[in-house]
Amino acid sequence: MQNRIKGKVVAITGASSGIGEATALMLAGHGAKVVLGARRSDRLEELADHIVKAGGEALYLVTDVKQRDDLIKLVKLACDKYGRLDVLINNAGISHLSRMDELQVEDWEEMIDVNLKGTLYGIAAALPVFQEQGSGHIINIISTSGLRIVPLQGVYAGTKNAVRTITEALRQEAGANLRVTGISPGFVQTELADHMKDPAIKAAIKEKAEKIAISPDDIAGAVIYAISQPPNVDVGDIVIRPTAQD
Ligand SMILES: NC(=O)c1ccc[n+]([C@@H]2O[C@H](COP(=O)([O-])OP(=O)(O)OC[C@H]3O[C@@H](n4cnc5c(N)ncnc54)[C@H](OP(=O)(O)O)[C@@H]3O)[C@@H](O)[C@H]2O)c1
């Protein structure tokens, strides 16, 4: 396949671990210039150094996707340093699992702020640049949680399905110059479960992940596929689960 990734400028939120980190490494390995955003500066610095030492190009900026300005600054960094932005990957996300009647309202709000509003802030930061350039690509990392709804995941799945809906509306509005892709991973071996609060739920998720989870590289490969298509080919939805996932 022709390398259509080389030279592309790709900004990634949530690049400090898991799917975002793996995607950054794989994109940089294919010659993309990556612009890394997340809150943990030490992890971003280490990743950017690693990419640069391997001969790639990478910049990073401490980015909290709850802050609209941080997304604007991330996109601006790409444009100031590399002259353009070709792809924005809205990947930052958190997952708090609980029954609805536990009323973990603060957790609900955090998931809405990070998973949903954070993605919207990313879209709002990138769209004006894409419109001015006459090209661009938004990739939203969604989840199979929104495809097979199960107990404990109602609000998490709700935020992801809101993103799915917005992704499709954006695709229809976008016209011929803007590509829009939604990628829904199933169980992936990352740090996502480490941040879960309920010890029993965390242990159960981690145990299941140990048994069946796929690698973040498997999701990064889908990102590579979507970006690698010719400009007139828009990869819409990709669902990637472990074969063993129910
Ligand atoms: N792992 C799975 O099984 C799975 C399945 C389906 C979908 N997903 C989705 O995949 C995406 C990536 O998650 P992951 O599995 O790779 O988990 P992860 O290793 O925990 O990565 C999550 C990333 O999001 C960042 N993040 C969290 N809150 C943030 C904020 N307020 N501002 C900026 N960045 C923030 C984290 O960085 P900092 O803490 O440094 O900010 C981290 O880089 C998420 O959207 C998740 O919902 C994961």
Side-chain angles (χ1 to χ4, degrees):
M1 190 189 283
Q2 185 186 335
N3 183 353
R4 295 195 185 85
I5 291 179
K6 194 170 170 50
K8 285 218 161 123
V9 180
V10 184
I12 308 166
T13 68
S16 58
S17 63
I19 293 168
E21 180 182 23
T23 301
L25 283 166
M26 203 177 282
L27 282 168
H30 282 74
K33 300 169 185 177
V34 291
V35 182
L36 315 169
R39 293 165 305 172
R40 288 171 292 177
S41 60
D42 53 337
R43 298 279 290 256
L44 293 177
E45 185 180 8
E46 204 179 307
L47 178 60
D49 281 355
H50 177 85
I51 289 170
V52 170
K53 279 187 186 128
E57 289 191 65
L59 299 169
Y60 72 92
L61 186 70
V62 171
T63 307
D64 182 346
V65 299
K66 290 185 193 168
Q67 308 296 329
R68 186 179 169 195
D69 263 4
D70 283 12
L71 272 309
I72 292 169
K73 285 178 191 154
L74 189 71
V75 168
K76 190 171 180 308
L77 178 68
C79 296
D80 287 350
K81 293 288 165 67
Y82 293 139
R84 57 186 293 110
L85 179 70
D86 294 299
V87 187
L88 172 67
I89 305 176
N90 287 306
N91 165 72
I94 51 162
S95 174
H96 299 305
L97 306 188
S98 61
R99 288 176 53 91
M100 299 300 297
D101 58 11
E102 286 176 44
L103 306 184
Q104 302 289 342
V105 177
E106 283 176 11
D107 289 351
W108 300 351
E109 285 172 343
E110 199 187 1
M111 286 188 282
I112 291 166
D113 287 347
V114 175
N115 302 352
L116 174 53
K117 288 174 69 180
T119 297
L120 284 169
Y121 290 160
I123 291 170
L127 268 188
V129 173
F130 291 165
Q131 278 163 345
E132 202 181 320
Q133 286 174 179
S135 69
H137 192 170
I138 299 262
I139 300 180
N140 293 332
I141 303 300
I142 312 177
S143 175
T144 58
S145 282
L147 297 173
R148 183 171 180 273
I149 318 289
V150 294
L152 307 180
Q153 299 190 9
V155 179
Y156 176 67
T159 61
K160 292 297 184 176
N161 274 349
V163 172
R164 192 183 316 280
T165 301
I166 290 158
T167 305
E168 173 58 12
L170 179 62
R171 185 195 69 76
Q172 291 184 31
E173 289 175 6
N177 297 328
L178 176 64
R179 299 196 293 176
V180 184
T181 300
I183 298 179
S184 291
F187 257 106
V188 184
Q189 190 64 267
T190 69
E191 296 175 19
L192 197 69
D194 296 348
H195 308 291
M196 289 176 185
K197 289 178 184 164
D198 184 308
I201 295 173
K202 187 198 267 192
I205 295 280
K206 284 175 89 82
E207 193 189 335
K208 190 165 179 190
E210 285 294 328
K211 283 187 190 141
I212 69 163
I214 54 177
S215 157
D217 283 346
D218 298 320
I219 313 305
V223 173
I224 297 285
Y225 172 76
I227 299 177
S228 294
Q229 301 311 307
N232 64 329
V233 175
D234 185 11
V235 176
D237 285 305
I238 305 181
V239 180
I240 312 165
R241 298 179 178 92
T243 310
Q245 185 171 328
D246 53 13

